Amino acid sequence: MSATVDWLRTSTPGLLLLCGLAIAVLLLAIIRFKLEPFIALLLTGLGLALAAGLPVSQIVGTPLKSSDSLLETGFGGILGHIAVIIGLGTVLGAILERSGGADVLTEKLLNMFGEKGAPVAMGLLGLIFGIPVFFDIGIFVLAPLVYVAAKRGGRSLVLYAMPMVAGLSMTHAFLPPHPGPVSLGGLMGVSLGWLILMGFVCGIPGFIAAGIVWGSWIGKRIQVEVPAEFLVRKRDSGSATADSGSPVAVASGPGAAAVGVAAPVRPPSVVLIGGIIAIPLVLILGATFGSQLLQANSTPLEVLTFLGTPAVALLLAVLVAFYVLGIRRGSSVQELGAVTAESLRPVGMLLLVVGAGAFFGKVISATGIGTALAHTMSEAGLPVIVLAYVISCGLRIAQGSATVAIVTTGGIVAPLVTGHGYSQLALALIAMAIAAGSIVLSHVNDGGFWMISKFFNLSVKQTLQTWTVLETILSVVSFAVAALLFAVLT
């Protein structure tokens, strides 16, 4: 018995078997027993640490000191990096949502592209508004606007919905401040500036292929009408549009609860909304490129570094939004505080899942499984970027959550890249491979699958034909771009 235990804890095959068993138990707990991912990740991480023979003092610390334990450093290390970013990003998205910014962007894009180009306009709407807004909130806010566009155009709802959800999915998977990419930055030690840059570079081709090309093709072949109960209803004043002519986001369909606040009488300008969304992106990218172009320790670099720190950049964007979209338009500080508190309520469980996933990754690193996996991978000749994509795909297909797939894969892959001399560009591309894998083949175990089905009047078969294929195309094309750049540039 002791020989078997020793083999499991010290040999490469034994460590790999332990890792495989731990992941299998994790998936079984989440899929079969419906255990909350936070609890499942925590239990699996503790079980793996004990099975691998790590000292209790290393796992949880001592009664007098636990700050150096895997439990605290695993949770604290990643949450210290992402909690402020995700919190501020959530608040920024809530302010933009309640300002009527989505209505304004919709009307502007529809006017620019015309009736024939309305599906492309819907795709750009999802892409732009998806940067600061979480995927599910984006669906709630934008779905009624898609209903309006589809009714105006008189064509299938699928034609307008697929480009929009492709934009939301791309930004959710590939771009900060969404939790997956931000978590990868902390787990793999890559700056958010590089993640933003590579997120656009890898994600935009996938968005075009999945949202515009596939969305247009399948939208002409699957006819789905906009149900009467989904349509935007008239306001009490008898007008169905705001003063600007843009559709008011008040609907009696499934998106009604999330968009019960009508667009303001004086909606914000498109330039203003776009400028606020751009503030954190420009500042973070400025710091990233400044570190490459400016002299070390120079005053301009220090200013750019401070302003481009993600937490500072997002804080500045939130303050600007508070003033120009809130206080200047008649909102009180108390009202803005209520919006902030409401928007932050769903963030707690998300942070716990990310923290537990980081702890699981810490355990994998401490047991030496990462080193064993790297050795096996090098012997098999499998590039790390391919391994990252395959692991992420497997986790996504098995348990459905993109965030869990990203965080768990990041924890597994991080030991393979730490200390191996990878550049920030290479690390960002590996992170993009993980992000791409996390969205592949969305099916019935994914909450997003059922949201798409419900909000766009699709049967299960139609959702598989449209949304599932869209997500897979987005995943494969984005990974192909990341893999090609990794082979050519690193």
Side-chain angles (χ1 to χ4, degrees):
M1 181 65 179
S2 60
T4 302
V5 173
D6 185 64
W7 176 80
L8 283 172
R9 293 175 174 178
T10 58
S11 68
T12 296
L15 287 169
L16 292 175
L17 178 59
L18 275 180
C19 184
L21 288 173
I23 293 174
V25 170
L26 173 66
L27 295 176
L28 184 66
I30 295 174
I31 299 170
R32 175 67 177 83
F33 297 104
K34 309 299 181 185
L35 194 61
E36 179 62 44
F38 159 60
I39 302 295
L41 283 163
L42 186 58
L43 284 174
T44 306
L46 290 171
L48 177 59
L50 293 171
L54 296 180
V56 172
S57 60
Q58 184 182 1
I59 301 171
V60 296
T62 68
L64 298 178
K65 183 180 181 182
S66 59
S67 58
D68 296 331
S69 68
L70 292 173
L71 186 60
E72 289 203 12
T73 57
F75 268 84
I78 189 66
L79 293 183
H81 177 74
I82 72 165
V84 175
I85 298 172
I86 291 177
L88 289 170
T90 302
V91 173
L92 178 60
I95 298 297
L96 290 172
E97 170 200 336
R98 285 158 175 77
S99 71
D103 297 333
V104 172
L105 284 173
T106 302
E107 187 68 15
K108 181 66 175 179
L109 290 170
L110 288 174
N111 289 338
M112 287 176 60
F113 287 89
E115 186 175 306
K116 291 185 178 180
V120 177
M122 291 294 101
L124 292 176
L125 178 67
L127 196 67
I128 296 169
F129 207 70
I131 293 174
V133 173
F134 286 175
F135 178 82
D136 53 352
I137 301 300
I139 294 290
F140 298 154
V141 173
L142 300 182
L145 305 178
V146 175
Y147 306 154
V148 172
K151 192 64 178 178
R152 282 184 184 178
R155 292 184 284 177
S156 173
L157 182 57
V158 173
L159 184 67
Y160 301 87
M162 290 301 109
M164 188 273 286
V165 296
L168 290 176
S169 181
M170 189 285 257
T171 54
H172 179 74
F174 293 96
L175 294 178
H178 292 276
V182 173
S183 300
L184 287 174
L187 290 167
M188 300 179 64
V190 57
S191 75
L192 293 192
W194 278 108
L195 288 176
I196 291 172
L197 184 61
M198 290 301 104
F200 279 116
V201 170
C202 298
I204 291 295
F207 160 74
I208 293 172
I212 306 302
V213 178
W214 167 254
S216 297
W217 188 87
I218 196 66
K220 295 174 183 177
R221 287 158 178 81
I222 295 182
Q223 294 298 318
V224 177
E225 298 295 327
V226 183
E229 65 269 21
F230 281 20
L231 294 177
V232 174
R233 57 181 170 80
K234 293 186 177 183
R235 301 175 65 182
D236 294 339
S237 63
S239 172
T241 59
D243 289 351
S244 65
S246 61
V248 175
V250 180
S252 54
V259 289
V261 179
V265 175
R266 293 178 294 105
S269 68
V270 174
V271 173
L272 181 60
I273 295 296
I276 293 173
I277 293 174
I279 287 173
L281 301 181
V282 171
L283 290 176
I284 293 170
L285 287 173
T288 299
F289 288 112
S291 65
Q292 305 294 318
L293 301 175
L294 299 176
Q295 184 178 354
N297 300 320
S298 64
T299 299
L301 179 57
E302 289 185 351
V303 172
L304 282 177
T305 300
F306 177 78
L307 295 178
T309 299
V312 175
L314 280 165
L315 178 61
L316 291 174
V318 168
L319 293 176
V320 170
F322 274 170
Y323 176 71
V324 300
L325 299 179
I327 293 174
R328 201 175 72 175
R329 301 169 67 80
S331 297
S332 67
V333 174
Q334 290 78 10
E335 290 171 338
L336 293 173
V339 169
T340 300
E342 180 187 350
S343 67
L344 290 175
R345 286 196 187 99
V347 173
M349 183 55 71
L350 173 63
L351 293 177
L352 288 174
V353 170
V354 172
F359 165 65
F360 183 68
K362 270 280 189 182
V363 170
I364 289 176
S365 179
T367 58
I369 293 172
T371 303
L373 190 59
H375 178 69
T376 302
M377 180 189 66
S378 62
E379 288 186 342
L382 190 64
V384 66
I385 193 168
V386 176
L387 180 70
Y389 180 69
V390 170
I391 294 173
S392 184
C393 284
L395 289 168
R396 159 66 167 190
I397 293 169
Q399 53 76 43
S401 169
T403 300
V404 171
I406 286 177
V407 173
T408 306
T409 306
I412 294 171
V413 173
L416 309 182
V417 299
T418 302
H420 286 73
Y422 286 104
S423 66
Q424 286 286 293
L425 172 60
L427 291 174
L429 289 171
I430 295 170
M432 291 304 102
I434 295 173
S438 76
I439 55 174
V440 75
L441 206 65
S442 169
H443 60 95
V444 294
N445 66 352
D446 176 18
F449 178 92
W450 298 107
M451 287 183 61
I452 299 300
S453 176
K454 172 185 175 182
F455 275 82
F456 299 111
N457 196 32
L458 300 171
S459 67
V460 171
K461 179 181 178 181
Q462 289 173 330
T463 310
L464 289 168
Q465 292 173 323
T466 56
W467 166 249
T468 301
V469 176
L470 181 148
E471 285 283 84
T472 303
I473 294 172
L474 177 57
S475 169
V476 171
V477 172
S478 298
F479 168 68
V481 175
L484 178 63
L485 292 176
F486 188 84
V488 173
L489 300 179
T490 64

